[in-house]
Amino acid sequence: MAKLRRELDENKHGKNVSSGKENEGFNVRKSGDASVVLVGLPSVGKSTLLNALTNAKSRTGSYQFTTLTAVPGMMEYNGSKIQILDLPGIVEGASKGRGLGRKVLSVARNADLVLMVLDVFQPELLDMLERELHEVGIRINKKHPQVFIEKAHYGGIAVHDQVSDIPDHVVKEILRIHGINNGRIIIKEPNLTMDQLIDVVTGNRIYLPSLVVLNKIDLVDGKFISQIEKKVQNFIPISADRKINIDDLKSLIYDKLAFIRIFLKPKGDKIDQEPLIMNQDCTIRDVCQKIHRNFVKDFKHAYVWGSSVKFSSQKVGLDHRLNDKDVLRIILK
Ligand SMILES: Nc1nc2c(ncn2[C@@H]2O[C@H](COP(=O)(O)OP(=O)(O)O)[C@@H](O)[C@H]2O)c(=O)[nH]1
Ligand SMILES: [Mg+2]
């Protein structure tokens, strides 16, 4: 199975991506603090939603395939700038190259969050969207399995596994098929499946969070929506056109991206009003890297005020983890 999967992968990713122009994907520059892609079938209202969330003016239409390229817009929220990308609709078979399919899906690989946009009359198509994303190596709402591979030049394969049911010789065989003959593999994922193992060994899988958005709810009543709740779990009902629940959606997008705000307080100055937008679990090192490339090299120490420290103005080093709304002063050499 691993062998077949590998061949399939080579046909899909390897050869085409490196040589063919048509598979390079759209040229979209990432900008802002994070980027979010809208994925859905044609005419579900992706472009209308982009326009409702951002300052963009993407073309909308009642006919299919209106949007032929990736259209970016910027959504500002809580001091953060979030790039939203409207993509051409994907249809069943997109991952195999139907329509603009593979191009569209490859853009999604670079995103920080996927919004799955569904039409209120076709909520069951969520499964198809997930399948198409799966086919191009995108795993939705799944964590990277706790499996780690360290390659070496000699010595064969050592399997460190006290938790999974997969026999060691099978693990070794899968590594061998993928050209790994030396090194060690550490398996810490209980109930690791063969699929997950192959995902890790293949190495080009992307694990992304997603939100499911059910659009055009202005066309139905509450009873209709509760029927859908039996089929699809955890969706956000909206109307992009009538602007229903758009502010709630913005706030959910922001929460899902799990940003934190760091306020800088340069020596002798007041606290900056504009926060630095960082990812949760960021360290002082991450902040330094974001401000200036020399900051890590020239770093002496930092002072922090806020919930990540025991007392105000605590002196900390590069590996200190920050919390939301912390105030930070960096001292350079
Ligand atoms: N009733 C209703 N129509 C909508 C809504 N959102 C979009 N539409 C309509 O659905 C059609 C397709 O919208 P569009 O944004 O172009 O879809 P896309 O192909 O997914 O980008 C257009 O005629 C929109 O006016 C909505 O919330 N309610
Ligand atoms: Mg569109």
Side-chain angles (χ1 to χ4, degrees):
M1 186 172 78
K3 213 166 166 178
L4 283 174
R5 187 75 61 75
R6 174 153 190 217
E7 278 167 22
L8 263 173
D9 267 3
E10 270 173 0
N11 288 335
K12 283 194 299 204
H13 303 288
K15 290 175 201 144
N16 291 344
V17 170
S18 53
S19 62
K21 260 208 165 103
E22 58 171 5
N23 267 313
E24 275 173 7
F26 302 110
N27 246 332
V28 273
R29 261 189 67 179
K30 263 185 110 161
S31 70
D33 299 305
S35 94
V36 177
V37 288
L38 305 181
V39 170
L41 273 86
S43 299
V44 295
K46 296 180 299 299
S47 301
T48 311
L49 178 57
L50 175 83
N51 296 344
L53 289 172
T54 72
N55 52 2
K57 288 186 179 59
S58 192
R59 274 183 66 195
T60 60
S62 45
Y63 50 95
Q64 292 194 347
F65 299 112
T66 313
T67 313
L68 293 172
T69 178
V71 180
M74 201 61 87
M75 173 181 122
E76 301 201 8
Y77 196 85
N78 270 356
S80 71
K81 290 190 170 65
I82 299 167
Q83 182 182 46
I84 314 263
L85 284 173
D86 177 25
L87 298 176
I90 64 166
V91 290
E92 178 127 42
S95 57
K96 295 178 187 65
R98 263 190 75 193
L100 294 158
R102 287 198 66 78
K103 263 187 179 178
V104 172
L105 292 167
S106 67
V107 174
R109 283 177 67 94
N110 292 315
D112 301 294
L113 172 68
V114 179
L115 286 200
M116 310 276 234
V117 188
L118 300 174
D119 184 295
V120 74
F121 294 115
Q122 291 187 306
E124 67 283 355
L125 288 174
L126 177 62
D127 290 343
M128 186 277 279
L129 292 179
E130 268 197 43
R131 265 202 313 279
E132 295 297 327
L133 289 168
H134 191 96
E135 280 296 309
V136 294
I138 299 173
R139 303 290 175 265
I140 293 294
N141 295 334
K142 295 199 175 74
K143 287 238 160 70
H144 189 291
Q146 294 291 302
V147 176
F148 310 95
I149 298 168
E150 295 163 7
K151 292 183 198 170
H153 293 296
Y154 54 86
I157 297 282
V159 180
H160 301 266
D161 177 9
Q162 255 119 53
V163 291
S164 91
D165 295 331
I166 305 176
D168 287 3
H169 73 271
V170 175
V171 175
K172 285 185 187 177
E173 182 63 12
I174 287 177
L175 287 168
R176 203 188 55 74
I177 290 167
H178 287 83
I180 303 171
N181 295 304
N182 299 295
R184 54 180 197 148
I185 177 164
I186 302 144
I187 298 176
K188 293 185 181 170
E189 182 78 36
N191 312 316
L192 180 74
T193 65
M194 207 69 130
D195 271 336
Q196 284 178 309
L197 176 61
I198 293 170
D199 274 354
V200 174
V201 176
T202 309
N204 59 359
R205 305 302 188 234
I206 309 264
Y207 298 83
L208 290 178
S210 85
L211 291 173
V212 178
V213 175
L214 187 73
N215 190 31
K216 308 193 186 181
I217 58 156
D218 54 297
L219 301 177
V220 299
D221 57 13
K223 219 167 115 195
F224 192 93
I225 294 176
S226 22
Q227 286 301 317
I228 297 175
E229 274 162 2
K230 290 175 192 156
K231 287 184 258 176
V232 182
Q233 285 176 342
N234 293 329
F235 60 83
I236 306 136
I238 66 157
S239 168
D241 195 43
R242 300 289 162 84
K243 307 233 177 353
I244 302 171
N245 289 348
I246 296 299
D247 284 336
D248 289 342
L249 178 58
K250 283 186 184 177
S251 138
L252 284 165
I253 291 172
Y254 181 86
D255 290 347
K256 197 79 181 178
L257 288 167
F259 291 130
I260 61 171
R261 290 155 290 182
I262 304 298
F263 293 89
L264 293 178
K265 185 181 177 178
K267 210 170 175 178
D269 278 335
K270 285 200 211 96
I271 299 173
D272 257 349
Q273 289 307 304
E274 280 267 312
L276 215 57
I277 302 294
M278 301 295 302
N279 291 321
Q280 222 156 39
D281 298 327
C282 80
T283 60
I284 306 263
R285 185 190 311 276
D286 298 325
V287 174
C288 287
Q289 269 156 0
K290 184 152 183 171
I291 303 174
H292 193 277
R293 60 195 154 88
N294 287 340
F295 262 47
V296 173
K297 185 165 63 71
D298 298 336
F299 181 85
K300 201 164 151 199
H301 53 255
Y303 296 101
V304 175
W305 293 255
S307 65
S308 75
V309 287
K310 290 205 186 77
F311 52 90
S312 278
S313 172
Q314 189 172 324
K315 193 168 157 183
V316 297
L318 279 175
D319 292 321
H320 177 77
R321 279 191 197 288
L322 293 159
N323 286 348
D324 189 29
K325 294 193 206 152
D326 275 357
V327 174
L328 170 68
R329 173 179 295 162
I330 296 168
I331 309 290
L332 300 175
K333 284 178 198 153

Coordinates of all heavy atoms in Angstrom, one line a residue, residues 41-48 58-61 63 65-69 71 86-89, ligand 2:
L41 N -17.4 24.9 -3.4 CA -17.8 24.7 -4.8 C -18.1 26.0 -5.4 O -18.3 27.0 -4.7 CB -19.1 23.8 -4.8 CG -18.8 22.3 -4.8 CD1 -18.6 21.8 -3.4 CD2 -19.8 21.5 -5.6
P42 N -18.2 26.0 -6.8 CA -18.6 27.3 -7.4 C -20.0 27.7 -6.9 O -20.9 26.9 -6.6 CB -18.7 26.9 -8.9 CG -17.8 25.7 -9.0 CD -18.0 24.9 -7.7
S43 N -20.2 29.0 -6.8 CA -21.5 29.6 -6.6 C -22.0 29.5 -5.1 O -23.2 29.7 -4.9 CB -22.6 29.2 -7.5 OG -22.2 29.5 -8.8
V44 N -21.2 29.0 -4.2 CA -21.7 28.9 -2.8 C -21.6 30.3 -2.1 O -22.2 30.4 -1.0 CB -20.9 27.9 -2.0 CG1 -21.1 26.5 -2.5 CG2 -19.4 28.2 -1.9
G45 N -20.9 31.2 -2.7 CA -20.9 32.6 -2.2 C -19.5 33.0 -1.6 O -19.4 33.9 -0.8
K46 N -18.5 32.3 -2.1 CA -17.1 32.6 -1.6 C -16.7 34.1 -1.9 O -16.2 34.8 -1.0 CB -16.1 31.7 -2.2 CG -16.3 30.2 -1.9 CD -15.2 29.3 -2.5 CE -15.3 29.4 -4.0 NZ -16.6 29.0 -4.6
S47 N -16.9 34.5 -3.1 CA -16.5 35.9 -3.4 C -17.4 36.9 -2.7 O -16.8 37.9 -2.2 CB -16.7 36.1 -4.9 OG -15.9 35.2 -5.6
T48 N -18.7 36.6 -2.5 CA -19.5 37.5 -1.7 C -19.0 37.6 -0.3 O -19.0 38.7 0.3 CB -21.0 37.0 -1.8 OG1 -21.3 36.7 -3.1 CG2 -21.9 38.1 -1.2
S58 N -14.2 41.3 -5.0 CA -14.1 40.2 -5.9 C -15.4 40.1 -6.7 O -16.5 40.4 -6.2 CB -13.9 38.9 -5.1 OG -13.5 37.9 -5.9
R59 N -15.3 39.7 -7.9 CA -16.5 39.6 -8.8 C -17.4 38.5 -8.3 O -16.9 37.4 -8.0 CB -16.1 39.3 -10.2 CG -15.8 40.6 -11.0 CD -15.5 40.3 -12.4 NE -16.6 39.7 -13.1 CZ -16.5 39.1 -14.3 NH1 -15.3 38.9 -14.9 NH2 -17.6 38.7 -14.9
T60 N -18.6 38.7 -8.2 CA -19.6 37.7 -7.8 C -20.5 37.5 -9.0 O -20.7 38.3 -9.9 CB -20.4 38.1 -6.6 OG1 -21.1 39.2 -6.9 CG2 -19.5 38.3 -5.4
G61 N -21.2 36.3 -9.0 CA -22.1 36.1 -10.1 C -23.0 34.9 -9.9 O -22.6 34.1 -9.1
Y63 N -23.6 32.9 -12.2 CA -23.2 31.8 -13.1 C -21.9 31.2 -12.5 O -21.2 31.8 -11.7 CB -22.9 32.3 -14.5 CG -22.1 33.5 -14.6 CD1 -20.7 33.5 -14.8 CD2 -22.7 34.8 -14.4 CE1 -19.9 34.6 -14.8 CE2 -21.9 35.9 -14.5 CZ -20.5 35.8 -14.7 OH -19.8 37.0 -14.7
F65 N -18.0 29.5 -12.0 CA -16.7 29.9 -12.4 C -16.4 31.4 -12.6 O -15.7 31.8 -13.5 CB -16.2 29.1 -13.6 CG -16.2 27.6 -13.4 CD1 -17.1 26.8 -14.1 CD2 -15.4 27.0 -12.5 CE1 -17.2 25.5 -13.9 CE2 -15.4 25.7 -12.3 CZ -16.3 24.9 -13.0
T66 N -17.1 32.2 -11.9 CA -16.9 33.6 -12.0 C -15.4 34.0 -11.7 O -14.8 34.7 -12.4 CB -17.8 34.4 -11.1 OG1 -19.1 33.9 -11.2 CG2 -17.8 35.9 -11.4
T67 N -15.0 33.5 -10.6 CA -13.6 33.8 -10.1 C -12.6 32.8 -10.8 O -12.7 31.6 -10.6 CB -13.5 33.7 -8.6 OG1 -14.7 34.3 -8.0 CG2 -12.3 34.3 -8.0
L68 N -11.7 33.4 -11.6 CA -10.8 32.5 -12.3 C -9.4 32.5 -11.7 O -8.5 31.8 -12.1 CB -10.7 32.9 -13.8 CG -12.1 32.6 -14.5 CD1 -12.0 33.2 -15.9 CD2 -12.3 31.1 -14.5
T69 N -9.2 33.4 -10.7 CA -7.8 33.5 -10.1 C -8.0 33.7 -8.6 O -9.1 33.9 -8.2 CB -7.0 34.6 -10.8 OG1 -5.8 34.7 -10.2 CG2 -7.7 35.9 -10.7
V71 N -8.1 35.8 -5.5 CA -8.3 37.2 -5.2 C -8.1 37.5 -3.7 O -8.8 36.9 -2.9 CB -9.7 37.7 -5.6 CG1 -9.9 39.2 -5.3 CG2 -10.0 37.4 -7.0
D86 N -9.8 34.5 -1.8 CA -11.0 33.9 -2.5 C -10.4 33.1 -3.7 O -9.6 33.6 -4.5 CB -11.8 35.0 -3.1 CG -13.0 34.5 -3.9 OD1 -13.4 33.4 -3.6 OD2 -13.5 35.3 -4.7
L87 N -10.8 31.8 -3.7 CA -10.2 31.0 -4.8 C -11.4 30.5 -5.7 O -12.5 30.5 -5.3 CB -9.6 29.7 -4.2 CG -8.5 29.9 -3.2 CD1 -8.0 28.6 -2.6 CD2 -7.3 30.6 -4.0
P88 N -11.0 30.2 -7.0 CA -12.0 29.6 -7.8 C -12.6 28.4 -7.2 O -12.0 27.7 -6.4 CB -11.2 29.2 -9.1 CG -10.0 30.0 -9.0 CD -9.7 30.2 -7.6
G89 N -13.9 28.1 -7.5 CA -14.6 26.9 -6.8 C -13.9 25.6 -7.2 O -13.3 25.5 -8.2
Ligands
MG2 MG -16.2 33.5 -6.8

